[in-house]
Amino acid sequence: MGELLERAALLDEMGRVLAETSTSGKVVLVAGEAGIGKSALVRRFAELHAGETRFLYGVCDPLLTPRALGPLHDLGRDVGGRLAELLAAGSPREQLFAALLDELDQRSRRQVVVIEDAHWADEATLDLLLFLGRRMGRTRTLLIVTYRDDELGVEHPLRAVVGRLPPEVVRRVRPQPLSEAAVAELATRAGRPATGLRALTGGNPLLVSEVLAAGDAGVPLTVRDLVLARFGGLPVEAQDAVRLVAVVPTRTELWLLEEALGFGLAAVDPGVAAGLLIAGSDVVGFRHELLRRAVEGSLSAIARRELNRRVLEVLTGREAGGGDGAGWQHPPPEAAAAEAVLRYGPEAARQAAAVAAHREAVGHYRAVLAHAERLPPAVHAELLEGFSVECYLSGLSVEAVSARRDAVDLREATGDLERVGASLRWLSRMHWWDGDRREAEAAAARAIAVLETLEPGHELAMAYSNRAQLEVLADRLDTAAGWAERAIRLAQRLDDRETLSHALTNIGSARIRGGDPGGRADLERAIDVADAAGLEDHTARALCNLGTLNAEMRDYRYAPQDLDRALGFVQARELSGYVQHVLGHRARVRLDQGDWMGAEQDAREALDEPVRGGARVVDALVPLGLLQARRGDPAAAAATLQEATERGFATVELQWTAPVAAARAEYAWLYGDDDRIAEEATRMYERAVELAHPWFTGELALWMWLAGALSETPAVIAEPYRLLLSGDWRGSADAWRERGCPYQVALALAHGDRDEALSEALELLDGLGARQTALRVRRDLRRRGHRRVPRGPIRATAANPAGLTSRQIDVLGLLAEGLTDAAIAAHLSLSTKTVGHHVSALLAKLGVASRPEAAAAARRLGLAAAKDREPKHQS
């Protein structure tokens, strides 16, 4: 069976549950949409444990007349004996259920029963699931039930069964869509481009595989057949609703759908239950774009024309009744009356943009621009400029660049030099947003050259500030200040608040990057100016720079709250590119601060953002790749870091190239490829030294030092790294501990010569779940002659199913008695921060979100035994 990407954590969780069955049985519910990989996950789990476990399978089928107890008949064929005899004799189901339970109650070996596709279960099989689930605790068996939860309506009987299972025996597993990195890896293996593939499929593994296998740009036949089979099973009115939603881009407002259908919105519910549609509070749309295309492609030209006519009729009637055209929320792309699109679309786009509905605005502009050849060049150019800005704000950098280029051409043709210069300045920004620095610098230079031939004004001031921004991003801080000062002088003369805010952001960013804390005040002033003027993009940029730069400079006094503040602003305004950027940086902060569960969540959410193009995805790929590598998932880490390399190095900017180079060096170290450590680190080391970036220099110098390739300690280097490279591992560990970075504390302690330091290092790594890092450190310690290397985490057992370290068990026991971190620290002779790291790690391992939940888990697992509460003191 081929490799399953991004499923290692789920397999580990299922393995832990299986270990718990040594004392009492459990139920694992594997839920998710069709094609998400539920069956593939179960098959891989069976492969991993088939040696010591018997697997039995039953399947529910979508038959027109389902066979009663079909899965039980499957199981009877597998086990034979009394159960098979009773089935053949047509015995009452009470006897059948009891015979199966007797079969599962064998203590001689561990067993797993798998019931697939329970959403199709007949009534008798649902009774069987409830019967077994309520009795699993008496056996040593694991019951795995897979089902499509997206097809379960509120009244589906399976919901009642699941709700009545004993909570203490149930574990829920939910495979997530594949990340951008995983989709790219599958595309690479298939020899196909990955561009737009995740947006098209939503990361659904089945859809991704089918699109890659199809070899063309259309909807794969297998996907079309699957979608149309579900569509064909809907009631007539529900089919009409699905068809109408299919001809409207992105999402359809419920009021529009109701008026166009002519009957109630209850017709939407079957489409939702079939897994085709997703309904929100006021909109409805397809679960995946590929599903919409399958339905749309099944419509005849006449049917599409009629559906578009109905939508257009509603919209024009709305305006005739006194509306202002705002009802044109999603103009159909094939509407027969192009004049209506041109009439209503631009205003709808402007209104959507005004309320920060940027993705909606993109849809409007697309519809209008499809007919833009009818418009005068100046109007066409204005639409392209508006479209490009909305694409930029929505994270669609490729489309933004293309539209702005076309706008520049039109402006040049009309001879409007001021608009040419303004569009060139925007084109520079969009090229950079798309990860093409060379073209960004070229457009910036052209903009200044054009605008300097005119009377100095707002556009020239912004062009100067744009040049300053590019210099900051290239870490050329002195030249950045010069351009920013020119912009500010002109802005003050013109009373230009937009340029003032933009330039202040550049100056503040340069100062923070250069280690000047005064930069924070500049950025706060830039935020105030932009916010007061209603300049959404400039407010977002200043907020994001404040958070991400403090994260980059490892200033954890401010970074977490600054990033939260920025994230709240950009998420509320659908600024997807900024959202991805901030989430990626917060993932790295959480990784450094020991919140690995939060780091993974942030990284995957960042990769799920509907962003196409640019390098901001690197901010999330690097922490995710490091997580995967440190936990011991080399294949996933290699794929993630490869995408980070391709996207990051295309920019030549240190903010992306240095973290990628350092991550690749750490990967080489973790997996014993010592010859490649220095090779990876030196890729950007000299550049980091040249640009005097203390943290990037320090991280790269560390890996070169470990590889024996560092000739001297650089002059500009962050203090924790300087201390370690000079031999002061204690000072380095204390410096990292002050910043709240347990992983880095562990790496520093691992280079010590005291047994207690080495023990603490391994305890920290084990507590974080850094299995591969701990393996490497243990191997290095043995090579250095240490004979008493502490062993790894306790293997998951019935008494310790979460695989807690011995120290974590101590902390959990005290936590369960209500002790604070400070009290636990006093009892165990640890620092309060170290206890905090242990608490975070054991919460993650137990799969709980709070201390009370952890205490309950401790009591359930028998790990909360009373102990002497007198504090221990070191002798």
Side-chain angles (χ1 to χ4, degrees):
M1 184 178 175
E3 177 192 2
L4 286 184
L5 296 181
E6 300 182 336
R7 297 296 186 251
L10 297 181
L11 290 167
D12 287 347
E13 171 65 16
M14 293 171 71
R16 286 192 290 271
V17 178
L18 181 60
E20 294 179 41
T21 62
S22 59
T23 55
S24 64
K26 294 289 183 287
V27 179
V28 170
L29 303 176
V30 184
E33 64 176 298
I36 200 66
K38 303 180 293 296
S39 296
L41 179 72
V42 173
R43 286 196 298 272
R44 175 53 57 86
F45 179 69
E47 288 179 359
L48 294 173
H49 299 280
E52 73 279 5
T53 305
R54 180 170 75 156
F55 282 78
L56 306 171
Y57 296 89
V59 178
C60 303
D61 296 307
L63 303 176
L64 295 177
T65 307
R67 178 182 54 165
L69 294 173
L72 185 58
H73 284 270
D74 294 338
L75 296 173
R77 281 192 295 272
D78 280 350
V79 303
R82 174 168 170 74
L83 177 59
E85 293 173 1
L86 290 172
L87 284 165
S91 302
R93 68 181 187 178
E94 292 77 11
Q95 294 182 23
L96 298 175
F97 290 4
L100 177 60
L101 190 63
D102 289 342
E103 182 69 31
L104 301 183
D105 199 26
Q106 297 179 20
R107 297 281 165 172
S108 57
R109 64 182 306 188
R110 198 160 56 184
Q111 300 184 93
V112 175
V113 174
V114 179
I115 304 296
E116 291 256 39
D117 296 323
H119 51 281
W120 287 324
D122 62 279
E123 186 176 342
T125 298
L126 292 173
D127 287 342
L128 172 63
L129 291 176
L130 184 60
F131 176 88
L132 290 177
R134 293 173 66 85
R135 291 162 177 79
M136 276 295 100
R138 307 176 191 174
T139 72
R140 294 181 62 221
T141 297
L142 175 63
L143 173 62
I144 299 177
V145 182
T146 74
Y147 60 94
R148 298 178 186 172
D149 58 352
D150 62 320
E151 297 186 22
L152 298 188
V154 175
E155 298 181 358
H156 196 290
L158 181 58
R159 288 196 182 277
V161 171
V162 169
R164 293 166 65 188
L165 296 177
E168 64 272 13
V169 305
V170 175
R171 303 290 185 274
R172 297 175 186 269
V173 171
R174 185 177 180 79
Q176 296 298 309
L178 298 178
S179 68
E180 193 84 45
V183 172
E185 169 65 13
L186 292 174
T188 299
R189 294 177 186 177
R192 299 280 306 282
T195 305
L197 182 55
R198 193 183 188 284
L200 178 66
T201 62
N204 181 288
L206 174 64
L207 298 183
V208 172
S209 300
E210 293 298 335
V211 170
L212 291 174
D216 57 44
V219 179
L221 292 177
T222 50
V223 175
R224 186 195 65 184
D225 291 345
L226 181 150
V227 171
L228 295 184
R230 294 193 194 182
F231 175 77
L234 299 177
V236 174
E237 289 188 347
Q239 289 185 11
D240 203 15
V242 171
R243 288 192 193 97
L244 199 143
V245 174
V247 302
V248 178
T250 61
R251 295 170 292 174
T252 307
E253 282 70 21
L254 293 178
W255 67 262
L256 172 59
L257 186 61
E258 185 171 25
E259 291 187 36
L261 286 172
F263 45 80
L265 289 176
V268 172
D269 290 338
V272 174
L276 295 175
L277 303 178
I278 298 177
S281 58
D282 54 4
V283 295
V284 63
F286 275 82
R287 180 170 291 276
H288 300 302
E289 171 64 10
L290 195 62
L291 308 186
R292 187 193 72 79
R293 293 186 186 181
V295 174
E296 184 187 34
S298 72
L299 300 174
S300 68
I302 294 175
R304 280 198 296 272
R305 183 182 181 90
E306 170 60 19
L307 289 165
N308 281 297
R309 184 196 61 76
R310 287 160 63 181
V311 171
L312 187 59
E313 218 172 58
V314 171
L315 294 171
T316 53
R318 186 180 177 88
E319 189 192 27
D324 60 1
W328 188 269
Q329 292 297 313
H330 290 288
E334 297 181 90
E339 290 78 8
V341 177
L342 294 171
R343 180 181 179 186
Y344 298 112
E347 179 60 26
R350 285 188 285 272
Q351 290 191 22
V355 296
H358 299 294
R359 294 170 203 159
E360 306 297 336
V362 166
H364 300 316
Y365 275 121
R366 281 189 183 132
V368 175
L369 287 168
H371 306 285
E373 73 280 353
R374 303 169 182 233
L375 300 173
V379 177
H380 189 181
E382 184 179 351
L383 288 170
L384 286 166
E385 288 163 352
F387 177 56
S388 69
V389 170
E390 295 308 308
C391 286
Y392 154 73
L393 294 174
S394 299
L396 307 174
S397 58
V398 175
E399 289 180 84
V401 167
S402 176
R404 186 58 69 159
R405 274 179 170 160
D406 291 344
V408 169
D409 291 342
L410 286 171
R411 293 296 189 188
E412 287 179 331
T414 62
D416 187 344
L417 292 183
E418 185 176 27
R419 300 313 307 159
V420 169
S423 249
L424 283 169
R425 189 262 301 174
W426 265 110
L427 181 60
S428 170
R429 173 63 171 166
M430 290 166 182
H431 271 307
W432 181 86
W433 202 245
D434 193 38
D436 191 338
R437 181 173 187 89
R438 183 179 64 82
E439 290 293 338
E441 291 185 340
R446 285 181 64 199
I448 292 172
V450 168
L451 292 167
E452 283 185 336
T453 67
L454 307 174
E455 186 72 21
H458 165 74
E459 295 300 347
L460 179 60
M462 282 298 296
Y464 286 156
S465 192
N466 177 68
R467 183 62 185 271
Q469 179 181 7
L470 289 173
E471 296 298 297
V472 172
L473 293 166
D475 292 286
R476 296 192 287 260
L477 306 183
D478 291 337
T479 54
W483 284 106
E485 287 165 5
R486 292 174 71 176
I488 287 176
R489 284 196 299 270
L490 184 52
Q492 289 173 335
R493 199 171 91 201
L494 299 169
D495 192 23
D496 180 353
R497 311 304 287 172
E498 180 179 8
T499 299
L500 178 62
S501 172
H502 192 274
L504 282 170
T505 297
N506 296 331
I507 288 176
S509 300
R511 291 178 71 183
I512 288 180
R513 164 61 186 81
D516 180 352
R520 185 175 188 86
D522 291 326
L523 283 168
E524 290 288 5
R525 185 183 171 204
I527 293 165
D528 290 342
V529 171
D531 194 44
L535 300 170
E536 176 186 77
D537 182 41
H538 299 301
T539 305
R541 177 171 163 260
L543 283 168
C544 291
N545 281 18
L546 187 61
T548 60
L549 279 166
N550 279 321
E552 182 179 305
M553 302 305 290
R554 308 298 192 266
D555 191 344
Y556 296 138
R557 296 171 303 167
Y558 301 115
Q561 55 265 39
D562 286 343
L563 290 170
D564 288 346
R565 177 185 175 193
L567 190 60
F569 184 89
V570 298
Q571 282 183 326
R573 290 158 180 81
E574 294 187 356
L575 302 176
S576 296
Y578 284 120
V579 171
Q580 186 178 74
H581 189 44
V582 175
L583 280 172
H585 275 276
R586 197 173 72 172
R588 183 58 189 261
V589 168
R590 287 179 164 178
L591 178 70
D592 286 350
Q593 301 243 285
D595 180 10
W596 285 18
M597 186 163 57
E600 181 172 14
Q601 179 180 338
D602 275 353
R604 294 198 182 280
E605 285 186 13
L607 296 175
D608 283 342
E609 280 297 310
V611 175
R612 295 202 295 274
R616 291 163 306 285
V617 68
V618 175
D619 302 320
L621 289 170
V622 167
L624 180 60
L626 287 172
L627 265 174
Q628 292 165 334
R630 292 171 183 177
R631 286 172 169 169
D633 192 350
T640 303
L641 294 179
Q642 182 56 35
E643 183 180 359
T645 303
E646 293 169 1
R647 301 286 282 271
F649 275 84
T651 70
V652 306
E653 287 190 11
L654 196 68
Q655 64 171 313
W656 288 307
T657 55
V660 171
R664 291 177 67 92
E666 181 173 349
Y667 180 94
W669 176 75
L670 286 170
Y671 292 96
D673 194 352
D674 292 359
D675 293 338
R676 221 181 80 231
I677 299 173
E679 176 187 334
E680 297 288 1
T682 53
R683 295 174 77 173
M684 294 310 302
Y685 174 71
E686 294 298 335
R687 184 66 174 156
V689 171
E690 176 190 349
L691 296 175
H693 196 300
W695 292 97
F696 290 160
T697 297
E699 190 172 9
L700 293 165
L702 168 66
W703 299 117
M704 293 179 65
W705 178 66
L706 286 173
L710 187 69
S711 57
E712 61 179 359
T713 302
V716 178
I717 185 171
E719 185 70 0
Y721 293 111
R722 185 192 66 76
L723 290 168
L724 183 58
L725 300 189
S726 67
D728 185 0
W729 55 268
R730 289 189 188 85
S732 178
D734 289 342
W736 283 119
R737 192 176 280 111
E738 184 66 25
R739 284 175 170 79
C741 301
Y743 185 81
Q744 286 78 7
V745 169
L747 292 186
L749 292 173
H751 291 89
D753 54 9
R754 299 288 299 274
D755 287 345
E756 62 269 24
L758 301 177
S759 294
E760 184 182 353
L762 290 170
E763 194 170 295
L764 283 171
L765 294 174
D766 292 337
L768 288 168
R771 292 191 295 266
Q772 189 62 33
T773 313
L775 283 172
R776 173 72 204 225
V777 168
R778 286 185 169 91
R779 189 184 75 180
D780 287 351
L781 291 177
R782 293 186 182 101
R783 284 180 176 176
R784 285 158 52 186
H786 288 270
R787 296 182 178 178
R788 298 178 59 189
V789 177
R791 68 175 186 171
I794 301 170
R795 188 174 183 271
T797 64
N800 181 20
L804 302 179
T805 66
S806 56
R807 178 65 81 194
Q808 287 167 354
I809 291 175
D810 291 339
V811 170
L812 179 59
L814 297 170
L815 180 152
E817 297 185 17
L819 273 66
T820 64
D821 285 359
I824 295 172
H827 184 79
L828 298 178
S829 300
L830 298 172
S831 72
T832 304
K833 277 192 174 182
T834 298
V835 171
H837 296 318
H838 283 311
V839 171
S840 296
L842 64 87
L843 288 178
K845 287 186 175 182
L846 291 169
V848 297
S850 66
R851 296 170 75 100
E853 290 178 2
R859 289 188 287 272
R860 187 174 67 249
L861 298 171
L863 300 177
K867 296 183 180 181
D868 179 9
R869 288 295 158 256
E870 288 299 317
K872 298 179 181 178
H873 299 283
Q874 293 179 332
S875 57

